[in-house]
Amino acid sequence: MALISYTDAQLRELARLMRAEAEEDGEQGMLLVGNVGVNRVITDCLDFEEIRSLPDMIYQSPGGFEAVQESYFYQRAREKEIRLARRAVQGDRIHPGRFSLWFFRPPGDCPPEWFGQPFAGEFGAHCFYEPFPGECPEIH
């Protein structure tokens, strides 16, 4: 059973986002981006109180994903990324994206906090941050 509701078109949008944000980190990196995105739809806290669907999450502004501003995001989703997106919405959550709501690619080491939220871990070129326990109970 899916953690969130979605259409096939929305799943393809999530797949495109995952690829555009983390293709250089391979399938696990793309799945982690999917984890963060699904967490943003599930939760009702902090910067994500008005996020109720995949399109809300993908195109959130301000505070959304930079990839939607790049042409690479608008290329057709491939089967590999669609499969990964389906895993993300079905609840395949892995560390450090399991409870994370944010990630970014710093020019150096991962800072211990990002906008006041604690570091959860890193994978590839990206650092992941999750809310403090109890702040967003829907994702814990």
Side-chain angles (χ1 to χ4, degrees):
M1 173 180 270
L3 296 176
I4 59 174
S5 60
Y6 62 92
T7 67
D8 286 340
Q10 292 170 346
L11 187 70
R12 288 190 302 274
E13 281 181 305
L14 176 60
R16 292 182 0 234
L17 177 71
M18 292 165 60
R19 178 189 63 217
E21 289 284 349
E23 184 175 38
E24 74 274 8
D25 289 335
E27 290 190 13
Q28 187 170 342
M30 289 187 282
L31 181 58
L32 287 165
V33 169
N35 289 167
V36 169
V38 170
N39 287 344
R40 289 179 177 189
V41 176
I42 291 171
T43 196
D44 189 23
C45 66
L46 303 169
D47 298 330
F48 312 105
E49 290 179 344
E50 301 298 321
I51 306 300
R52 295 290 164 265
S53 68
L54 286 173
D56 289 348
M57 176 272 297
I58 292 167
Y59 300 104
Q60 180 186 6
S61 181
F65 295 95
E66 292 178 7
V68 300
Q69 300 169 16
E70 305 296 329
S71 62
Y72 192 56
F73 169 75
Y74 294 94
Q75 294 178 12
R76 185 179 59 83
R78 298 176 292 208
E79 272 309 307
K80 174 174 73 172
E81 291 95 20
I82 295 169
R83 276 194 325 272
L84 288 169
R86 188 169 287 111
R87 285 176 56 191
V89 298
Q90 294 293 328
D92 188 354
R93 300 191 313 169
I94 57 175
H95 179 78
R98 182 178 197 124
F99 305 119
S100 293
L101 290 173
W102 305 271
F103 69 91
F104 84 110
R105 182 181 186 158
D109 294 337
C110 296
E113 289 186 351
W114 181 247
F115 291 102
Q117 302 301 319
F119 175 66
E122 63 184 291
F123 183 81
H126 293 92
C127 306
F128 292 80
Y129 296 83
E130 61 187 47
F132 286 101
E135 230 174 346
C136 300
E138 301 92 353
I139 61 170
H140 282 95

